[in-house]
Amino acid sequence: MLSEELYKTAALLMSPGKGILAADQSVTTMDKQLSAVGATPDADTRRKYRQLLFTAPGIEKYVTGIILYDATIRNQTDDGTAFVDYLIAKGIIPIIKVDKSTKPFEGFDGEVVTEGLDGLKERLEEYFKMGARAAKWRAVVNIGENLPTIESIKFNCLLLARYARLCQEAGIVPIVEPEVIYAGTHNLAKAEEVTSLVLRTLFAVLIQYRVDLKAVILKTSMVLAGNKNEKQSSPEEVAEATLRVLEGAVPSEVPGIVFLSGGQTPEQVTSNFNAIGKLEKENGGLPWQLAFSFSRGIEQPVQEAWKGKEENVSTAQKVLLEVLERNCKADEGQL
Ligand code: 13P
């Protein structure tokens, strides 16, 4: 019975033609983004920003779920409606980021480990009661000289497996996100090799620790050369490498795969996503649904249009809906 609910949630999250908005920036990251556009980095501005996103008229046409940060899931609109209730009423599934970010992985220079397992069972129970039906945990894999190590990959995958299993016990669909970092001088072949190793390791560990793959969503990086490599990858190269890696590493029981934007510009990430959508069609479909789950790749232009000013709210909402619509078209390879 519980499994059936999880499968239903996963299927809803992966409804064709829509995506997931990642609005789960931590307080520190959100404040940096607000300051960058001249808005005041404080609690009320953060609340108003999230309100702008969630109340954009018709946003439910483009997103199935929105990823929230702990402070946001506890927050409200101007009229006192809990954000979670507001989203549920619009048919949008509240998703909660439950990891507590990364810390240096002692003994492994340049690598990090994600924290957040302590008290997770109880936190998940509370989030479920609040209305969350999916969660997100992000692991980070850096590419560099002699990096990543297999030890750090395995360790982070074990944490993802423990998190995923706890989520499923709590009636929450785990989104597992091993982000292979785009920053760096590495070439496309290196990104492909690392992403493939990470995803193969991840699924082997998830299976070993008895996570139900039919109730897991993978959130992955696209496969592309590092941002400081002299040969930047074309959308066609990104699409080919990304689908090659996914087809070789992701079991077909997994219902869906979503992409993060990872520091690509909004234009770049949408055009790469469109090339993936096109190639998917040419190949005659894939075993899993694909969708976007960008944060910066969607929100940067929205923040630039808003600048923290009340009089810019409706313009910023228009920008949000336009960017979402473009990404929904890109999902079908229709740009
Ligand atoms: P970006 O799209 O900005 O990479 O963020 C996605 C995300 O959820 C990171 O955890």
Side-chain angles (χ1 to χ4, degrees), residues 63-135:
V63 302
T64 57
I66 299 186
I67 315 180
L68 310 168
Y69 189 66
D70 180 77
T72 313
I73 202 169
R74 300 175 192 282
N75 222 328
Q76 299 127 22
T77 59
D78 287 344
D79 71 5
T81 310
F83 279 148
V84 232
D85 295 339
Y86 184 87
L87 294 176
I88 293 169
K90 276 194 165 181
I92 296 173
I93 298 172
I95 308 170
I96 181 73
K97 170 197 167 78
V98 297
D99 69 75
K100 296 205 164 168
S101 194
T102 57
K103 291 274 154 58
F105 190 30
E106 288 79 5
F108 294 85
D109 253 8
E111 302 201 285
V112 292
V113 65
T114 303
E115 298 207 323
L117 283 182
D118 288 352
L120 182 57
K121 185 171 182 290
E122 292 72 25
R123 287 162 55 218
L124 287 168
E125 281 164 9
E126 187 193 4
Y127 290 138
F128 183 91
K129 279 193 202 128
M130 288 171 138
R133 289 295 177 271

Side-chain angles (χ1 to χ4, degrees), residues 22 24 136 138 177 179 219 260-263 293-297:
D24 60 329
K136 186 193 96 170
R138 173 175 174 262
E177 182 186 19
E179 177 172 355
K219 178 158 176 167
L260 58 95
S261 61
S293 177
F294 313 144
S295 176
R296 288 165 286 175

